[in-house]
């Protein structure tokens, strides 16, 4: 009888149970065992072991292998020497026996105790397999086919190791006469006892060596990794507290160099954080003024519309023009901030260009924005490898700055000789205390605080020059105004197609 589906209390069938969740473990094989990734297990085991433990284990392993190989070499050497010593003794005893009058007929007259006292057994093996032993010999040597071959003359001598009642004997058989072979055997018990002692000593010495190597490896690893542990604690301290405090460095080894590099990295991060905080604070300060003015103007327009007291068209147009100018100022400020925050431009954006052509294009643009200022230019060709947009923006900022501080009928003098661009204006000039700071971000001298601008134009000039391995400087022009200089490395053209140009742009 087939059972139906299970039913609940209300008589309706219960839904089937959900399928089991997928398991991350590998499926069992046909044999019922789960296959494991041996390489993955080894990596997980190594990752759980500390470096100190791994160094100690490696030292113990190396010493263990060295001890094992040394013990094996000693054991094989001693074993070979002992067997060779026994063989030499057997050959000497056989030679002495053959030189004496001890033959097969007289051997049976000598009691076996005379030979057993020196752990030696002597017998004669006949060519017809007859074995002649000393008198009273209870157990004969385990002779066989090799000894019979010597007795029958098929071999001159033969030596081998044989077992006699659980004891190893070294047996030598030599030809004694046409019908007999002399068989001399010696027990290997003494040699085996010596080899047992060698094994025990090797194990003891090897064990002590492995333990000592493990302790030495752990101690050396602990002492050698102490600076690494300090670096780790310093990195954890930085991650936990966000404080970029340098660590104390001792010594001049590789770990000390790593610590010095770590401190330099912390210093660079600290400087970058300070610059970022200063940039955010300065940007917030510069943004506050136009935003406040824009909000005030917008509130004034909204209040006028809400109360029904409309402003005169001229005032309303003036407020709208102010808002538009403030919006343009904000857009310029945001563009300058984006320009300063950019990293080095990609290599593909650079090309070979004439610095003089870039300056001419910038002069054309600035002339339209400042029609009341006269520009004179003396430009010599100079080839540079760079980004035309970045260099053009920097040159435009230099010319705009000169036009802004020059009087309405003033003259701006531009010269480009051997990669050095000089821009002189006829404005009030730059105070000596302000000269080192004019290319800093958001820096505004006391004379410039009432003029429009964000204080980022000259900072963009310095950034552009540094990106092209150049430099900038500020000084005083002969006319009393400011002289701003930008140098870009390059080379003069191979041949000048036309003489240096000198233009007066009104």
């Amino acid at each position: 009888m087939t059972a139906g589906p299970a039913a609940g209390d209300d008589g309706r069938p219960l839904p089937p149970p959900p399928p089991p969740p997928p398991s991350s473990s590998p499926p069992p094989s046909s044999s019922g065992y789960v296959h494991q990734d041996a390489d993955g297990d080894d990596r997980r085991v190594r990752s759980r072991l500390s470096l100190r433990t791994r160094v100690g284990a490696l030292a113990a392993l190396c010493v263990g292998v060295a001890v094992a190989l040394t013990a094996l070499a000693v054991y094989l050497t001693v074993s070979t020497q002992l067997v060779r010593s026994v063989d030499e003794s057997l050959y000497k005893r056989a030679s002495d026996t053959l030189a004496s009058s001890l033959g097969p007929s007289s051997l049976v007259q000598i009691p076996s105790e005379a030979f057993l006292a020196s752990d030696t057994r002597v017998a004669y093996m006949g060519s017809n397999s007859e074995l002649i032993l000393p008198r009273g010999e209870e157990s004969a040597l385990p002779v066989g086919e090799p000894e019979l071959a010597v007795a029958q003359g098929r071999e001159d001598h033969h030596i081998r190791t044989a077992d006699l009642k659980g004891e190893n004997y070294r047996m030598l058989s030599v030809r004694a006469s046409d019908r007999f072979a002399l068989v001399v055997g010696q027990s290997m018990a003494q040699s085996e006892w010596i080899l047992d002692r060698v094994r025990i000593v090797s194990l003891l010495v090897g064990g002590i060596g492995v333990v000592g190597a493990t302790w030495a490896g752990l101690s050396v690893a602990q002492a050698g990794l102490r600076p690494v542990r300090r670096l780790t604690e310093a990195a954890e301290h930085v991650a936990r507290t966000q404080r970029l405090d340098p660590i104390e460095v001792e010594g001049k080894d590789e770990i000390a160099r790593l610590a010095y590099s770590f401190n330099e990295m912390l210093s660079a991060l600290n400087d970058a954080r300070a610059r970022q905080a200063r940039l955010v604070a300065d940007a917030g300060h510069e943004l506050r003024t136009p935003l406040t003015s824009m909000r005030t103007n917008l509130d004034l327009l909204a209040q006028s519309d809400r109360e029904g007291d409309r402003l005169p068209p001229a005032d309303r147009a003036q407020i709208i023009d102010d808002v538009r100018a403030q919006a343009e100022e904000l857009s310029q400020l945001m563009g300058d901030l984006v320009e300063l925050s950019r990293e080095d431009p990609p290599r593909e954006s650079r090309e070979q260009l004439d610095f003089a052509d870039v300056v001419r294009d910038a002069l054309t643009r600035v002339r339209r924005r400042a029609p009341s200022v006269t520009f004179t230019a003396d430009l010599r060709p100079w080839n540079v490898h760079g980004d035309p947009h970045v260099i053009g923006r920097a040159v435009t900022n230099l010319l705009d700055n000169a036009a802004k501080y020059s009087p309405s009928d003033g003259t701006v003098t531009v010269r480009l000789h051997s990669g050095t661009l000089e821009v002189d204006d006829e404005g009030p000039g730059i105070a000596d205390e302000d000269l080192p700071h004019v290319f800093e971000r958001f820096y505004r001298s006391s004379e410039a605080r009432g003029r429009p601008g964000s204080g980022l134009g000259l900072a963009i000039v310095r950034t552009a020059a540094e990106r092209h391995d150049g430099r900038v400087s500020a000084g005083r022009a002969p006319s009393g105004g400011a002289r701003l200089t930008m140098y870009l490395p390059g080379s003069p053209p191979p041949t000048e197609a036309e003489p240096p140009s000198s233009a007066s742009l009104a």
Side-chain angles (χ1 to χ4, degrees):
M1 180 176 179
T2 303
D9 296 338
D10 55 358
R12 290 181 296 180
L14 296 176
S23 175
S24 60
S25 59
S29 63
S30 59
S31 61
Y33 294 98
V34 177
H35 297 287
Q36 297 290 340
D37 187 356
D39 294 338
D41 292 342
D42 292 342
R43 286 193 295 268
R44 285 192 291 270
V45 170
R46 288 196 298 268
S47 64
R48 288 194 295 264
L49 296 177
S50 65
L51 181 59
R52 176 173 176 265
T53 303
R54 280 180 280 173
V55 171
L58 180 62
L61 177 63
C62 293
V63 173
V65 171
V67 169
L69 293 177
T70 303
L72 179 62
V74 170
Y75 181 83
L76 293 177
T77 302
V78 173
S79 175
T80 302
Q81 292 297 327
L82 289 176
V83 171
R84 181 178 300 175
S85 176
V86 172
D87 291 347
E88 292 176 354
S89 176
L90 289 177
Y91 275 107
K92 185 175 185 306
R93 290 177 183 273
S95 176
D96 293 343
T97 301
L98 293 177
S100 66
S101 59
L102 184 62
S105 58
S106 58
L107 179 62
V108 296
Q109 305 298 327
I110 301 176
S112 61
E113 290 79 4
F115 299 99
L116 296 178
S118 59
D119 279 342
T120 304
R121 293 176 179 271
V122 179
Y124 277 99
M125 179 74 175
S127 58
N128 58 355
S129 301
E130 177 187 6
L131 187 61
I132 300 175
L133 302 174
R135 186 181 53 173
E137 183 74 45
E138 297 180 358
S139 57
L141 289 170
V143 294
E145 179 62 27
E147 289 75 23
L148 181 60
V150 175
Q152 293 176 353
R154 288 177 290 162
E155 293 185 21
D156 291 335
H157 66 278
H158 187 85
I159 189 167
R160 65 188 179 98
T161 301
D163 179 75
L164 177 61
K165 294 183 179 182
E167 184 177 355
N168 289 326
Y169 269 78
R170 191 69 173 168
M171 293 173 46
L172 171 66
S173 55
V174 294
R175 188 74 183 275
S177 63
D178 293 339
R179 296 177 51 249
F180 290 97
L182 175 64
V183 181
V184 183
Q186 182 173 341
S187 174
M188 299 292 294
Q190 183 69 22
S191 300
E192 292 175 352
W193 181 87
I194 295 175
L195 292 177
D196 290 340
R197 295 303 180 269
V198 170
R199 283 195 294 267
I200 293 174
V201 171
S202 298
L203 290 176
L204 289 177
V205 173
I208 295 174
V210 170
V211 172
T214 304
W215 174 82
L218 294 175
S219 301
V220 171
Q222 182 177 7
L225 296 176
R226 187 177 294 112
V228 178
R229 186 171 62 253
R230 291 174 56 193
L231 284 177
T232 304
E233 294 172 353
E236 293 173 349
H237 174 75
V238 170
R240 184 175 60 256
T241 63
Q242 300 297 315
R243 294 180 55 186
L244 304 178
D245 299 329
I247 64 173
E248 184 180 356
V249 183
E250 297 178 358
K252 296 182 180 179
D253 55 2
E254 290 80 0
I255 302 297
R257 290 179 56 193
L258 177 61
Y260 281 117
S261 301
F262 186 80
N263 284 340
E264 292 177 357
M265 180 189 67
L266 292 180
S267 178
L269 290 175
N270 196 21
D271 293 342
R273 176 188 289 180
R275 288 195 301 269
Q276 181 183 16
R278 187 168 59 252
L279 176 63
V280 172
D282 293 340
H285 177 74
E286 293 293 332
L287 288 170
R288 186 178 298 111
T289 299
L291 286 175
T292 302
S293 178
M294 184 182 296
R295 185 170 58 250
T296 301
N297 290 329
L298 292 176
D299 290 343
L300 181 60
L301 289 175
Q303 182 180 2
S304 173
D305 293 340
R306 187 171 52 251
E307 295 177 355
D309 183 15
R310 294 189 172 275
L311 294 172
D315 294 341
R316 187 180 185 88
Q318 180 65 34
I319 293 177
I320 292 176
D321 290 341
D322 290 343
V323 172
R324 184 178 293 110
Q326 290 153 5
E328 292 178 356
E329 184 179 353
L330 285 175
S331 299
Q332 181 68 24
L333 177 60
M334 296 306 299
D336 292 342
L337 288 174
V338 171
E339 184 70 23
L340 287 174
S341 63
R342 287 176 55 193
E343 297 294 335
D344 288 338
R347 183 64 61 179
E348 291 75 15
S349 65
R350 298 195 175 194
E351 59 186 49
Q352 199 73 19
L353 51 91
D354 189 350
F355 195 7
D357 291 339
V358 177
V359 177
R360 292 189 189 96
D361 294 339
L363 280 169
T364 302
R365 291 192 298 269
V366 176
R367 178 187 62 82
R368 298 192 188 101
R369 295 199 288 262
S372 62
V373 178
T374 301
F375 292 88
T376 63
D378 180 14
L379 309 178
R380 306 289 179 89
W382 185 256
N383 292 335
V384 297
H385 184 73
D387 189 332
H389 172 73
V390 174
I391 298 176
R393 177 72 179 277
V395 175
T396 302
N397 287 354
L398 286 176
L399 298 177
D400 280 336
N401 183 83
K404 180 172 65 175
Y405 289 100
S406 293
S408 58
D409 57 348
T411 301
V412 175
T413 303
V414 182
R415 286 183 299 274
L416 175 60
H417 293 174
S418 301
T420 301
L421 176 65
E422 295 179 347
V423 180
D424 296 349
D425 61 50
E426 295 181 349
I430 305 174
D432 293 339
E433 61 271 14
D434 295 328
L435 286 177
H437 309 288
V438 293
F439 290 100
E440 295 180 359
R441 297 176 182 178
F442 298 105
Y443 183 79
R444 306 289 296 276
S445 63
S446 57
E447 293 81 3
R449 298 189 189 279
R451 298 178 181 268
S454 62
L456 294 177
L458 296 183
I460 293 176
V461 175
R462 184 181 67 177
T463 301
E466 291 175 350
R467 287 177 178 173
H468 293 81
D469 299 327
R471 59 182 181 271
V472 293
S473 62
R476 188 173 297 276
S479 61
R483 168 176 288 182
L484 301 180
T485 304
M486 180 174 71
Y487 167 76
L488 295 181
S491 61
T495 58
E496 296 186 2
E498 58 185 41
S501 62
S502 177
S504 176
L505 302 177

